[in-house]
Protein backbone atom coordinates (compact mmCIF):
# COMPACT_ATOMS: atom_id res chain seq x y z
CA UNK A 1 0.00 0.00 0.00
CA UNK A 2 1.25 3.50 -0.84
CA UNK A 3 0.71 6.44 1.48
CA UNK A 4 -1.46 8.32 -0.98
CA UNK A 5 -4.04 5.56 -1.42
CA UNK A 6 -7.47 6.12 0.04
CA UNK A 7 -10.70 4.13 0.03
CA UNK A 8 -14.13 5.74 -0.42
CA UNK A 9 -16.82 3.42 0.92
CA UNK A 10 -20.37 3.75 -0.41
CA UNK A 11 -23.41 1.43 -0.59
CA UNK A 12 -23.54 1.89 -4.39
CA UNK A 13 -20.68 2.64 -6.76
CA UNK A 14 -21.52 3.04 -10.44
CA UNK A 15 -18.47 2.26 -12.57
CA UNK A 16 -19.88 3.57 -15.86
CA UNK A 17 -21.63 0.33 -16.74
CA UNK A 18 -23.08 -1.26 -13.61
CA UNK A 19 -23.49 -0.85 -9.87
CA UNK A 20 -21.11 -2.35 -7.35
CA UNK A 21 -22.82 -2.77 -3.97
CA UNK A 22 -21.18 -2.59 -0.53
CA UNK A 23 -17.92 -1.66 -2.20
CA UNK A 24 -15.08 0.81 -1.96
CA UNK A 25 -13.49 3.00 -4.60
CA UNK A 26 -9.74 2.98 -4.07
CA UNK A 27 -7.99 6.12 -5.28
CA UNK A 28 -4.22 6.21 -5.71
CA UNK A 29 -3.17 9.86 -6.00
CA UNK A 30 -5.02 11.24 -9.01
CA UNK A 31 -5.94 7.82 -10.47
CA UNK A 32 -8.52 5.13 -9.84
CA UNK A 33 -6.84 2.00 -8.49
CA UNK A 34 -9.79 -0.38 -8.12
CA UNK A 35 -13.32 -0.98 -6.91
CA UNK A 36 -13.33 -3.76 -4.34
CA UNK A 37 -15.80 -5.29 -1.84
CA UNK A 38 -15.48 -3.52 1.50
CA UNK A 39 -14.60 -6.82 3.14
CA UNK A 40 -11.43 -7.00 1.01
CA UNK A 41 -10.01 -3.68 2.20
CA UNK A 42 -6.63 -3.62 3.89
CA UNK A 43 -7.23 -2.65 7.54
CA UNK A 44 -4.42 -0.09 7.39
CA UNK A 45 -5.76 1.78 4.36
CA UNK A 46 -7.14 5.29 5.05
CA UNK A 47 -10.82 5.36 4.28
CA UNK A 48 -13.83 7.61 4.14
CA UNK A 49 -17.33 6.27 4.51
CA UNK A 50 -19.91 8.19 2.51
CA UNK A 51 -23.36 7.81 4.07
CA UNK A 52 -25.88 6.50 1.55
CA UNK A 53 -26.09 7.79 -1.98
CA UNK A 54 -24.14 6.85 -5.09
CA UNK A 55 -20.55 7.28 -6.20
CA UNK A 56 -20.31 7.68 -9.99
CA UNK A 57 -17.81 8.87 -12.59
CA UNK A 58 -17.72 12.59 -13.30
CA UNK A 59 -20.09 13.49 -16.11
CA UNK A 60 -18.99 13.81 -19.74
CA UNK A 61 -20.82 16.72 -21.40
CA UNK A 62 -20.37 17.11 -25.16
CA UNK A 63 -22.28 20.41 -25.50
CA UNK A 64 -21.16 23.22 -23.22
CA UNK A 65 -21.47 26.70 -24.74
CA UNK A 66 -20.36 28.54 -21.62
CA UNK A 67 -20.36 28.72 -17.86
CA UNK A 68 -19.19 30.79 -14.93
CA UNK A 69 -20.36 33.95 -16.67
CA UNK A 70 -18.39 33.25 -19.87
CA UNK A 71 -19.42 32.24 -23.40
CA UNK A 72 -16.80 30.64 -25.63
CA UNK A 73 -18.10 32.79 -28.49
CA UNK A 74 -17.09 35.90 -26.54
CA UNK A 75 -13.67 34.77 -25.38
CA UNK A 76 -11.57 32.13 -27.10
CA UNK A 77 -8.75 31.99 -24.56
CA UNK A 78 -7.21 29.51 -22.15
CA UNK A 79 -8.44 31.59 -19.21
CA UNK A 80 -12.02 31.49 -20.51
CA UNK A 81 -11.82 27.74 -21.05
CA UNK A 82 -10.47 27.29 -17.53
CA UNK A 83 -13.35 29.32 -16.10
CA UNK A 84 -15.97 27.40 -18.09
CA UNK A 85 -14.47 24.04 -17.07
CA UNK A 86 -14.30 25.05 -13.41
CA UNK A 87 -17.96 26.08 -13.42
CA UNK A 88 -19.05 22.75 -14.86
CA UNK A 89 -16.77 20.72 -12.62
CA UNK A 90 -18.64 22.13 -9.61
CA UNK A 91 -21.84 20.79 -11.23
CA UNK A 92 -20.34 17.32 -11.68
CA UNK A 93 -19.25 17.52 -15.33
CA UNK A 94 -15.51 16.83 -15.08
CA UNK A 95 -14.99 16.32 -18.84
CA UNK A 96 -16.49 18.78 -21.32
CA UNK A 97 -16.43 19.75 -24.96
CA UNK A 98 -16.57 23.56 -24.93
CA UNK A 99 -18.87 24.50 -27.79
CA UNK A 100 -18.53 27.36 -30.25
CA UNK A 101 -21.91 28.41 -31.60
CA UNK A 102 -22.17 29.64 -35.22
CA UNK A 103 -19.83 32.61 -35.66
CA UNK A 104 -17.16 34.06 -37.95
CA UNK A 105 -14.43 31.91 -39.56
CA UNK A 106 -11.81 33.71 -37.46
CA UNK A 107 -13.51 32.57 -34.25
CA UNK A 108 -13.46 28.97 -35.42
CA UNK A 109 -9.69 29.19 -35.85
CA UNK A 110 -9.32 31.00 -32.52
CA UNK A 111 -11.36 28.34 -30.71
CA UNK A 112 -9.21 25.55 -32.14
CA UNK A 113 -6.06 27.43 -31.11
CA UNK A 114 -7.38 28.06 -27.59
CA UNK A 115 -8.44 24.47 -26.97
CA UNK A 116 -5.10 23.18 -28.25
CA UNK A 117 -3.34 25.51 -25.79
CA UNK A 118 -5.68 24.50 -22.94
CA UNK A 119 -5.03 20.81 -23.54
CA UNK A 120 -1.27 21.46 -23.68
CA UNK A 121 -1.56 23.34 -20.37
CA UNK A 122 -3.48 20.38 -18.89
CA UNK A 123 -6.50 22.50 -17.95
CA UNK A 124 -8.73 20.03 -16.04
CA UNK A 125 -11.91 19.09 -17.86
CA UNK A 126 -11.10 20.31 -21.38
CA UNK A 127 -11.15 17.24 -23.61
CA UNK A 128 -11.60 18.81 -27.05
CA UNK A 129 -13.93 21.12 -28.95
CA UNK A 130 -17.45 21.04 -30.36
CA UNK A 131 -18.24 23.36 -33.29
CA UNK A 132 -22.02 23.82 -33.54
CA UNK A 133 -22.12 25.49 -36.93
CA UNK A 134 -21.67 27.64 -38.93
CA UNK A 135 -22.63 25.14 -41.67
CA UNK A 136 -26.30 24.85 -40.69
CA UNK A 137 -29.76 25.48 -42.15
CA UNK A 138 -31.12 29.00 -41.80
CA UNK A 139 -34.62 27.52 -41.69
CA UNK A 140 -33.66 25.61 -38.52
CA UNK A 141 -31.20 28.11 -37.04
CA UNK A 142 -32.85 28.45 -33.63
CA UNK A 143 -30.81 31.03 -31.68
CA UNK A 144 -27.88 30.90 -34.14
CA UNK A 145 -27.26 34.12 -36.07
CA UNK A 146 -28.30 33.80 -39.72
CA UNK A 147 -25.60 36.21 -40.93
CA UNK A 148 -22.88 33.70 -40.02
CA UNK A 149 -24.53 30.59 -41.47
CA UNK A 150 -22.92 29.50 -44.76
CA UNK A 151 -22.03 26.47 -46.88
CA UNK A 152 -18.80 24.63 -46.14
CA UNK A 153 -15.88 25.47 -48.44
CA UNK A 154 -12.61 23.71 -49.28
CA UNK A 155 -10.84 26.15 -46.94
CA UNK A 156 -13.19 25.17 -44.11
CA UNK A 157 -12.43 21.51 -44.74
CA UNK A 158 -8.69 22.19 -44.58
CA UNK A 159 -9.03 24.12 -41.31
CA UNK A 160 -11.15 21.36 -39.76
CA UNK A 161 -8.81 18.57 -40.83
CA UNK A 162 -5.93 20.51 -39.32
CA UNK A 163 -7.99 21.02 -36.14
CA UNK A 164 -8.69 17.30 -35.88
CA UNK A 165 -4.96 16.65 -36.11
CA UNK A 166 -4.23 19.11 -33.29
CA UNK A 167 -7.04 18.30 -30.84
CA UNK A 168 -7.85 15.12 -28.89
CA UNK A 169 -11.50 15.40 -29.96
CA UNK A 170 -13.14 17.61 -32.57
CA UNK A 171 -16.90 17.24 -32.90
CA UNK A 172 -18.93 19.26 -35.38
CA UNK A 173 -22.65 19.80 -35.90
CA UNK A 174 -23.59 20.27 -39.57
CA UNK A 175 -26.75 20.48 -41.67
CA UNK A 176 -27.23 18.56 -44.90
CA UNK A 177 -28.15 21.85 -46.55
CA UNK A 178 -24.65 23.29 -46.04
CA UNK A 179 -22.32 20.31 -46.51
CA UNK A 180 -21.90 17.53 -49.03
CA UNK A 181 -21.55 13.80 -48.35
CA UNK A 182 -18.02 13.99 -49.74
CA UNK A 183 -17.11 16.72 -47.23
CA UNK A 184 -18.52 14.59 -44.40
CA UNK A 185 -16.45 11.66 -45.66
CA UNK A 186 -13.28 13.76 -45.73
CA UNK A 187 -13.86 15.05 -42.22
CA UNK A 188 -14.73 11.73 -40.62
CA UNK A 189 -11.72 10.08 -42.28
CA UNK A 190 -9.62 12.83 -40.68
CA UNK A 191 -11.03 11.93 -37.26
CA UNK A 192 -13.85 14.43 -36.72
CA UNK A 193 -17.06 13.30 -35.04
CA UNK A 194 -19.81 14.56 -37.33
CA UNK A 195 -23.23 15.23 -35.82
CA UNK A 196 -26.35 16.21 -37.77
CA UNK A 197 -28.42 19.10 -36.49
CA UNK A 198 -30.11 22.41 -37.24
CA UNK A 199 -31.41 20.85 -40.46
CA UNK A 200 -34.56 20.13 -42.46
CA UNK A 201 -32.94 16.92 -43.77
CA UNK A 202 -35.19 14.16 -45.05
CA UNK A 203 -34.59 10.60 -43.89
CA UNK A 204 -33.02 9.80 -47.26
CA UNK A 205 -30.60 12.72 -46.98
CA UNK A 206 -29.74 11.80 -43.40
CA UNK A 207 -28.97 8.23 -44.50
CA UNK A 208 -26.59 9.60 -47.15
CA UNK A 209 -24.79 11.52 -44.40
CA UNK A 210 -24.64 8.38 -42.25
CA UNK A 211 -23.17 6.43 -45.16
CA UNK A 212 -20.55 9.18 -45.49
CA UNK A 213 -19.60 8.85 -41.81
CA UNK A 214 -21.96 10.91 -39.63
CA UNK A 215 -22.47 9.13 -36.30
CA UNK A 216 -24.47 11.50 -34.15
CA UNK A 217 -27.45 13.87 -33.90
CA UNK A 218 -27.37 17.14 -31.97
CA UNK A 219 -30.06 17.83 -29.32
CA UNK A 220 -32.70 15.34 -30.46
CA UNK A 221 -36.09 16.89 -31.36
CA UNK A 222 -34.73 20.44 -31.41
CA UNK A 223 -33.91 22.37 -34.59
CA UNK A 224 -34.49 19.42 -36.93
CA UNK A 225 -37.06 17.82 -39.23
CA UNK A 226 -39.64 15.98 -37.16
CA UNK A 227 -41.10 12.48 -37.29
CA UNK A 228 -44.11 12.36 -39.60
CA UNK A 229 -46.40 9.71 -41.02
CA UNK A 230 -44.83 9.71 -44.51
CA UNK A 231 -41.45 11.27 -43.76
CA UNK A 232 -39.43 10.13 -40.72
CA UNK A 233 -37.31 13.28 -40.74
CA UNK A 234 -34.12 13.45 -38.73
CA UNK A 235 -35.97 12.56 -35.50
CA UNK A 236 -37.23 9.29 -36.97
CA UNK A 237 -33.86 8.58 -38.57
CA UNK A 238 -32.03 9.14 -35.28
CA UNK A 239 -34.29 6.64 -33.52
CA UNK A 240 -34.33 3.99 -36.26
CA UNK A 241 -30.76 3.99 -37.55
CA UNK A 242 -28.61 1.73 -35.34
CA UNK A 243 -25.31 3.51 -35.83
CA UNK A 244 -26.55 6.98 -34.91
CA UNK A 245 -26.28 8.26 -31.34
CA UNK A 246 -28.16 11.36 -30.23
CA UNK A 247 -27.71 14.06 -27.62
CA UNK A 248 -30.73 14.94 -25.50
CA UNK A 249 -31.55 18.00 -23.38
CA UNK A 250 -33.66 16.41 -20.63
CA UNK A 251 -35.06 19.53 -18.99
CA UNK A 252 -38.71 18.97 -19.95
CA UNK A 253 -38.58 22.27 -21.87
CA UNK A 254 -36.65 21.43 -25.01
CA UNK A 255 -38.63 18.21 -25.35
CA UNK A 256 -41.80 17.08 -23.60
CA UNK A 257 -41.16 14.28 -21.10
CA UNK A 258 -43.54 11.99 -23.00
CA UNK A 259 -41.58 12.55 -26.22
CA UNK A 260 -38.38 11.72 -24.34
CA UNK A 261 -39.95 8.51 -23.03
CA UNK A 262 -41.00 7.48 -26.54
CA UNK A 263 -37.49 8.15 -27.84
CA UNK A 264 -35.80 6.13 -25.10
CA UNK A 265 -38.12 3.18 -25.67
CA UNK A 266 -37.74 3.38 -29.46
CA UNK A 267 -34.01 3.88 -30.00
CA UNK A 268 -32.35 1.15 -32.03
CA UNK A 269 -28.77 0.36 -31.01
CA UNK A 270 -25.84 0.05 -30.76
CA UNK A 271 -26.12 3.85 -31.03
CA UNK A 272 -27.46 5.36 -27.83
CA UNK A 273 -29.17 8.50 -26.58
CA UNK A 274 -26.93 10.50 -24.25
CA UNK A 275 -27.44 13.57 -22.08
CA UNK A 276 -26.12 17.04 -22.83
CA UNK A 277 -26.60 20.24 -20.87
CA UNK A 278 -26.42 22.73 -23.78
CA UNK A 279 -25.32 25.04 -20.98
CA UNK A 280 -24.69 28.74 -21.43
CA UNK A 281 -22.82 31.47 -19.54
CA UNK A 282 -25.16 31.32 -16.54
CA UNK A 283 -24.14 27.74 -15.61
CA UNK A 284 -22.54 27.66 -12.17
CA UNK A 285 -23.47 31.29 -11.53
CA UNK A 286 -26.32 33.49 -10.26
CA UNK A 287 -26.51 35.55 -13.47
CA UNK A 288 -30.03 36.38 -14.58
CA UNK A 289 -29.08 37.34 -18.14
CA UNK A 290 -26.15 37.49 -20.56
CA UNK A 291 -25.47 38.40 -24.17
CA UNK A 292 -25.28 36.08 -27.15
CA UNK A 293 -23.49 38.24 -29.68
CA UNK A 294 -25.54 41.42 -29.80
CA UNK A 295 -28.68 39.88 -28.27
CA UNK A 296 -29.87 39.58 -24.68
CA UNK A 297 -30.60 36.13 -23.28
CA UNK A 298 -32.92 36.05 -20.27
CA UNK A 299 -32.93 33.43 -17.50
CA UNK A 300 -36.46 32.81 -16.20
CA UNK A 301 -38.06 29.81 -14.49
CA UNK A 302 -35.46 27.30 -15.64
CA UNK A 303 -35.33 28.42 -19.26
CA UNK A 304 -33.07 30.66 -21.34
CA UNK A 305 -34.64 32.70 -24.13
CA UNK A 306 -33.93 35.53 -26.48
CA UNK A 307 -36.18 38.53 -25.99
CA UNK A 308 -38.50 37.17 -28.70
CA UNK A 309 -38.96 33.92 -26.74
CA UNK A 310 -36.64 31.73 -28.83
CA UNK A 311 -34.88 29.13 -26.69
CA UNK A 312 -31.18 29.91 -26.42
CA UNK A 313 -29.42 26.96 -24.84
CA UNK A 314 -30.51 25.42 -21.56
CA UNK A 315 -30.41 26.25 -17.86
CA UNK A 316 -29.58 22.66 -16.97
CA UNK A 317 -26.90 20.50 -15.37
CA UNK A 318 -26.36 16.78 -15.91
CA UNK A 319 -27.37 15.69 -12.42
CA UNK A 320 -30.74 17.43 -12.81
CA UNK A 321 -31.21 15.73 -16.18
CA UNK A 322 -30.46 12.33 -14.61
CA UNK A 323 -32.91 12.95 -11.79
CA UNK A 324 -35.54 14.06 -14.33
CA UNK A 325 -35.27 10.82 -16.32
CA UNK A 326 -35.60 8.73 -13.17
CA UNK A 327 -38.42 10.86 -11.76
CA UNK A 328 -40.35 10.66 -15.05
CA UNK A 329 -40.01 6.87 -14.93
CA UNK A 330 -38.11 6.55 -18.22
CA UNK A 331 -34.80 5.19 -16.88
CA UNK A 332 -33.33 3.57 -13.81
CA UNK A 333 -30.28 5.15 -12.19
CA UNK A 334 -27.82 2.89 -14.00
CA UNK A 335 -29.25 3.76 -17.42
CA UNK A 336 -29.51 7.48 -16.68
CA UNK A 337 -25.98 7.65 -15.25
CA UNK A 338 -24.56 5.82 -18.26
CA UNK A 339 -26.24 8.41 -20.49
CA UNK A 340 -24.11 11.10 -18.83
CA UNK A 341 -20.88 9.12 -18.52
CA UNK A 342 -19.97 6.03 -20.53
CA UNK A 343 -22.29 6.65 -23.49
CA UNK A 344 -21.03 10.15 -24.42
CA UNK A 345 -17.46 8.97 -23.83
CA UNK A 346 -18.04 6.20 -26.38
CA UNK A 347 -19.55 8.65 -28.88
CA UNK A 348 -16.24 10.53 -29.05
CA UNK A 349 -14.10 7.40 -28.90
CA UNK A 350 -12.87 7.98 -25.34
CA UNK A 351 -14.58 5.15 -23.46
CA UNK A 352 -11.26 3.75 -22.24
CA UNK A 353 -10.41 6.86 -20.24
CA UNK A 354 -13.56 8.94 -19.62
CA UNK A 355 -16.96 8.29 -18.07
CA UNK A 356 -15.81 5.26 -16.10
CA UNK A 357 -14.06 4.27 -12.88
CA UNK A 358 -11.62 1.75 -14.29
CA UNK A 359 -8.10 1.15 -12.94
CA UNK A 360 -5.74 3.79 -14.28
CA UNK A 361 -8.39 6.33 -15.27
CA UNK A 362 -8.46 9.81 -13.75
CA UNK A 363 -10.07 9.88 -10.30
CA UNK A 364 -12.85 12.23 -11.39
CA UNK A 365 -15.94 11.19 -9.47
CA UNK A 366 -19.03 12.45 -7.70
CA UNK A 367 -21.18 11.43 -4.75
CA UNK A 368 -24.87 12.33 -4.65
CA UNK A 369 -28.20 11.47 -3.08
CA UNK A 370 -30.37 9.98 -5.85
CA UNK A 371 -33.58 10.84 -4.03
CA UNK A 372 -32.60 14.36 -3.00
CA UNK A 373 -32.17 17.69 -4.74
CA UNK A 374 -28.80 18.74 -3.33
CA UNK A 375 -25.83 19.14 -5.68
CA UNK A 376 -23.24 16.41 -5.89
CA UNK A 377 -19.95 16.38 -4.02
CA UNK A 378 -17.15 16.37 -6.58
CA UNK A 379 -13.58 15.06 -6.71
CA UNK A 380 -11.31 16.09 -9.57
CA UNK A 381 -8.15 14.04 -10.07
CA UNK A 382 -8.60 12.61 -6.60
CA UNK A 383 -8.88 15.99 -4.86
CA UNK A 384 -12.12 17.21 -3.29
CA UNK A 385 -13.51 20.06 -5.32
CA UNK A 386 -16.85 21.00 -3.81
CA UNK A 387 -19.09 19.68 -1.05
CA UNK A 388 -16.67 16.80 -0.55
Amino acid sequence: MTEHRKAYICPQIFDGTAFNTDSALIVDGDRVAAIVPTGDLDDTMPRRRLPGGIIAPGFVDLQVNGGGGVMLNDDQSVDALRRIAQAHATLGATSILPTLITDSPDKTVAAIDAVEAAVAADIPGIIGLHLEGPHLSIARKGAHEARFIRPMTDRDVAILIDGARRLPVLKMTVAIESVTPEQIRQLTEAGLVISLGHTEASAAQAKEAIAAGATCVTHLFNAMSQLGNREPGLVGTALSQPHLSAGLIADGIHAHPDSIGIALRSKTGPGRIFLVSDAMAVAGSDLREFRLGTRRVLRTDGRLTLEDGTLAGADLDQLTAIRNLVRWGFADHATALAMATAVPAAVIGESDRLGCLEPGTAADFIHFDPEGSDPASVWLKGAPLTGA
Side-chain angles (χ1 to χ4, degrees), residues 215-227:
T215 57
C216 195
V217 167
T218 296
H219 44 50
L220 184 65
F221 294 113
N222 297 107
M224 65 182 61
S225 48
Q226 300 296 298
L227 172 63

Side-chain angles (χ1 to χ4, degrees), residues 159-195:
I159 289 170
L160 294 168
I161 289 174
D162 180 62
R165 178 183 58 80
R166 293 161 54 192
L167 302 181
V169 177
L170 182 55
K171 181 174 182 280
M172 187 170 202
T173 298
V174 299
I176 302 301
E177 295 88 332
S178 291
V179 299
T180 66
E182 179 56 30
Q183 288 171 329
I184 292 174
R185 185 172 291 106
Q186 287 179 275
L187 296 177
T188 55
E189 287 177 353
L192 275 85
V193 177
I194 295 298
S195 187

Side-chain angles (χ1 to χ4, degrees), residues 200-204 206 224-228 230-238 240:
E200 284 280 7
S202 67
M224 65 182 61
S225 48
Q226 300 296 298
L227 172 63
R230 294 185 180 90
E231 169 52 57
L234 185 54
V235 170
T237 305
S240 64

